[in-house]
Amino acid sequence: MTTADKLAHYVLPTYSQFPVAPVRGEGTLLWDGDGKRYLDFCSGLATCTLGHGENSLSRAISKQAGELIHCCNLYQIDQQAELARCLVEECLQLPGRVFFSNSGAESNDGLIKLARRFGHARPDIEGRARYEVITFHQSFHGRTLGGIAATGQDKVKEGFDPLLPGFRHLELNDLDSLAATIQPETCAILLEPIQGEGGIHLATREFLEGIGELCRDHDLLLLLDEVQCGLGRTGEMAGWRTIAPDLVPDAVSWAKGLGGGFPIGAFWISERIMANDKPLFSLMGTGSHGSTFGGNPLACTAGLTVLREVIDQELPQRALQHETSIRETIASWQHPALTEVRGKGLLLGVGLNFKAPEGEAPSIHLSRELANAGLLAPPAGPDIVRLMPPLTVSAAEIDEALEIFRQTLDRVST
Ligand SMILES: *Cc1c(COP(=O)(O)O)cnc(C)c1O
């Protein structure tokens, strides 16, 4: 049986897959079992921050695996303590506390639980617990029951009702409608500063700063989902600072790029003092939350190694330089089948405008043809193909990828 046959027989078909089966990698490059070479501008969905193969991350994981893989949170884990310190002191530079999970959806569930606790601690004027979390259309917050309830896309919710109640989705960047619809039961606003899966849509600076003000005025929590845009990919360790440098959130979630491909998620809760003189993070005290695997020595070693490299090699700044050159190259094509380039740093979406055969979405069609031609660049929605290589990508690799992109686009769009 081939890989594809076994997958078809034994694995739930929750993903529609491309016919690509990588077995080995080196930096930005992947190879399949037949030796076909790919430039990886997918990075395992914005995850393989440092690229593939033998590198500081694979060495650190191997070494740690030989010393201690797991011991659980009943005991003290030094790598967890150090990774939390690095996230607080070096990445955010905002005081608070971190909880470690294993994925992005789990981290967002943690933010939702915080919002519920906050709503109990700070009820409405009638003394009723507040519970509503406002999120935005085209958002993506993960596939748990909490995550799909929070996500502003119908397709992830189909057939799973009754959903977790207490969510409302509004238009991104429409501050007036947001201000007009805050209700007594509202307790938090959750958003991706740069929406990833929903098609690379950026919150504007005015919108983020306006949300910050609304949260102060209405005693709401400002929750940022930085699972995809955080930790350097979009040009800052705190992703929202590429848009609104002075915004101060109450809690932030991470996953994807944090482990460089090793599964780890985390969320941070601010130390800001609430009306009862207690810090916000005290709402999530002993026994309030947990994870068997979360924060284990192996995962935290991966996270620490990734963050050390990203910070020390100044990869966020490099991501911004690469963005500039990618935008210049694509603009110089003046290609009639392209609409725009959206995004920040190395989280970019290229807008497509051509007719694909047999009613297929242009993004899926182009992604498949790009893969055939040796470039992995995943779709996001029907009209966007994403460019999100490892942050260690070289300028020469970007040039090669864009040349494949242009030639393939020429072929499929005429
Ligand atoms: C991918 C993603 C998630 C979900 O992360 P998982 O690790 O797949 O659970 C949540 N939020 C955003 C913004 C994401 O991009």
Side-chain angles (χ1 to χ4, degrees):
M1 264 179 149
T2 65
T3 301
D5 286 337
K6 273 189 283 183
L7 286 167
H9 277 89
Y10 300 115
V11 176
L12 273 180
T14 55
Y15 283 86
S16 91
Q17 295 183 325
F18 294 99
V20 174
V23 296
R24 188 171 68 78
E26 201 180 298
T28 308
L29 300 176
L30 290 172
W31 286 269
D32 70 12
D34 299 327
K36 181 175 160 114
R37 169 186 179 272
Y38 298 92
L39 281 156
D40 184 10
F41 276 52
C42 175
S43 305
L45 291 172
T47 288
C48 302
T49 312
L50 304 180
H52 307 284
E54 167 80 20
N55 59 19
S56 58
L57 177 60
S58 68
R59 282 191 297 275
I61 290 173
S62 305
K63 180 163 176 286
Q64 184 59 43
E67 287 169 12
L68 186 65
I69 291 176
H70 181 66
C71 80
C72 95
N73 289 295
L74 293 173
Y75 310 102
Q76 298 180 0
I77 301 169
D78 178 66
Q79 294 85 349
Q80 183 187 113
E82 176 56 18
L83 180 55
R85 187 206 63 76
C86 183
L87 286 164
V88 169
E89 300 289 347
E90 298 187 61
C91 298
L92 291 188
Q93 301 170 346
L94 292 172
R97 301 287 188 277
V98 177
F99 179 91
F100 289 101
S101 70
N102 310 285
S103 69
E106 268 182 73
S107 298
N108 287 334
D109 277 357
L111 298 190
I112 295 165
K113 287 176 79 172
L114 169 70
R116 293 284 168 93
R117 282 241 157 153
F118 180 73
H120 279 271
R122 311 279 290 258
D124 70 12
I125 241 160
E126 320 257 294
R128 287 175 304 220
R130 297 185 293 158
Y131 58 88
E132 186 184 65
V133 179
I134 292 176
T135 72
F136 297 92
H137 293 147
Q138 298 141 355
S139 60
F140 182 76
H141 299 296
R143 298 290 194 152
T144 56
L145 288 167
I148 63 173
T151 293
Q153 304 186 52
D154 290 340
K155 65 178 187 192
V156 307
K157 304 174 194 256
E158 267 168 34
F160 295 122
D161 50 290
L163 294 172
L164 182 67
F167 291 89
R168 205 145 46 92
H169 314 304
L170 301 179
E171 206 59 48
L172 187 73
N173 292 330
D174 185 346
L175 197 58
D176 292 339
S177 83
L178 175 60
T181 51
I182 290 168
Q183 303 175 331
E185 57 266 37
T186 310
C187 66
I189 298 173
L190 165 66
L191 82 162
E192 301 160 79
I194 302 176
Q195 293 182 336
E197 298 304 306
I200 315 288
H201 301 279
L202 279 75
T204 62
R205 178 172 185 162
E206 302 72 62
F207 190 62
L208 286 181
E209 288 175 350
I211 287 180
E213 245 169 71
L214 284 174
C215 286
R216 277 194 299 279
D217 293 350
H218 295 268
D219 193 29
L220 312 176
L221 291 182
L222 171 50
L223 312 174
L224 296 182
D225 178 347
E226 297 236 325
V227 166
Q228 186 155 167
C229 70
L231 302 177
R233 177 161 291 277
T234 57
E236 291 272 357
M237 297 310 282
W240 77 86
R241 289 193 181 128
T242 57
I243 302 172
D246 301 326
L247 188 72
V248 180
D250 293 307
V252 179
S253 59
W254 299 286
K256 292 210 163 83
L258 174 56
F262 197 90
I264 179 172
F267 63 90
W268 164 91
I269 303 177
S270 165
E271 194 171 301
R272 84 159 155 97
I273 301 301
M274 297 190 296
N276 62 2
D277 286 342
K278 292 209 175 114
L280 181 65
F281 70 72
S282 69
L283 292 172
M284 298 297 283
T286 306
S288 65
H289 200 39
S291 167
T292 301
F293 291 124
N296 69 70
L298 190 56
C300 290
T301 295
L304 264 174
T305 309
V306 169
L307 293 185
R308 237 357 336 122
E309 294 273 341
V310 171
I311 294 168
D312 293 349
Q313 292 187 47
E314 302 189 343
L315 297 182
Q317 293 87 324
R318 262 166 68 184
L320 290 176
Q321 288 159 6
H322 288 314
E323 175 196 346
T324 304
S325 79
I326 291 171
R327 283 182 181 278
E328 281 170 7
T329 302
I330 293 180
S332 75
W333 301 340
Q334 302 196 323
H335 205 290
L338 297 185
T339 56
E340 59 177 333
V341 176
R342 295 204 290 261
K344 282 270 184 195
L346 290 174
L347 182 60
L348 296 175
V350 184
L352 308 174
N353 179 26
F354 66 87
K355 230 176 135 37
E358 284 157 32
E360 197 175 32
S363 62
I364 311 245
H365 185 70
L366 180 61
S367 282
R368 187 178 325 100
E369 293 298 319
L370 288 172
N372 277 339
L375 172 62
L376 302 186
D383 314 309
I384 296 282
V385 161
R386 284 179 283 181
L387 300 176
M388 39 189 195
L391 302 190
T392 50
V393 67
S394 71
E397 286 163 341
I398 287 177
D399 289 346
E400 187 187 347
L402 290 179
E403 190 52 29
I404 295 174
F405 195 102
R406 191 182 59 79
Q407 288 178 11
T408 308
L409 187 65
D410 280 347
R411 192 155 43 72
V412 301
S413 65
T414 48

